[in-house]
Amino acid sequence: MKKFLMIACMMLFSTAMFAEKGDMFVGAGLSYGFHSDYKNFGIGVKGQYEIFNNFRADAQIDHFFKHEGLSMSDININLQYLLGDGNLRYYPLAGLALVGHSTNAFGFLEEMKAGFNIGAGAELPITDKWKVFAEAKYQIVEDWGRFIPTIGVMIAL
């Protein structure tokens, strides 16, 4: 588990080193996790780094609030390939997920599992620096797989 987290951090930081000015975005979003046994709202932060033309890495950390005694958190590192031209751009995504859950009063994670993400998203610029996005992904994680739609805003650095 620690090796997975270390590799994920190394991927994120090495990607950031090669990004040029204007190729980096940070933002926040609201999510909702759907699973047959539990459903909960979440908030998260994310960063994007363009690696090549139309190809970027995306890192996201989410916390899903306690509902029916269960809260969850996840770390996602995805690759996205941008399609479309003009204002609306859309993308497929695939990547890695590290998901944890908590049933205690303090929200400390009790167990974590690694898995995969697959999904798609779209983004629309509001100004030269700001954009809104919507994406939906399915986390493939043993016993905790779920569908997660997210909406949010991003700003260029």
Side-chain angles (χ1 to χ4, degrees):
M1 188 71 60
K2 290 179 185 177
K3 288 181 184 179
F4 176 80
L5 188 56
M6 187 173 167
I7 290 170
C9 288
M10 288 173 54
M11 286 173 48
L12 176 63
F13 292 124
S14 66
T15 303
M17 290 174 25
F18 294 107
E20 296 179 13
K21 185 176 180 181
D23 292 336
M24 299 192 315
F25 283 85
V26 295
L30 299 172
S31 301
Y32 192 78
F34 290 94
H35 185 275
S36 59
D37 295 335
Y38 50 87
K39 297 167 183 61
N40 44 3
F41 282 99
I43 59 171
V45 294
K46 71 187 298 179
Q48 295 175 335
Y49 308 97
E50 191 161 338
I51 301 168
F52 305 113
N53 191 26
N54 295 334
F55 188 72
R56 69 181 174 204
D58 176 273
Q60 184 172 352
I61 299 172
D62 296 304
H63 176 73
F64 293 88
F65 300 107
K66 188 170 275 198
H67 180 70
E68 296 181 8
L70 181 73
S71 65
M72 298 188 80
S73 295
D74 61 31
I75 299 171
N76 302 284
I77 296 183
N78 298 308
L79 296 176
Q80 303 172 343
Y81 184 75
L82 296 168
L83 303 165
D85 53 359
N87 283 336
L88 180 64
R89 297 178 77 183
Y90 49 96
Y91 51 88
L93 68 87
L96 303 173
L98 186 60
V99 181
H101 77 84
S102 172
T103 57
N104 62 50
F106 299 106
F108 298 123
L109 298 178
E110 298 167 358
E111 184 179 2
M112 295 189 83
K113 294 183 180 181
F116 301 97
N117 294 319
I118 189 160
E123 60 188 37
L124 183 66
I126 301 171
T127 68
D128 290 342
K129 293 234 178 228
W130 290 89
K131 64 183 176 181
V132 294
F133 72 92
E135 75 182 30
K137 67 181 173 235
Y138 188 82
Q139 287 184 327
I140 304 166
V141 180
E142 181 185 351
D143 299 326
W144 298 347
R146 63 191 192 151
F147 175 70
I148 303 173
T150 303
I151 58 170
V153 296
M154 304 281 294
I155 185 169
L157 296 179

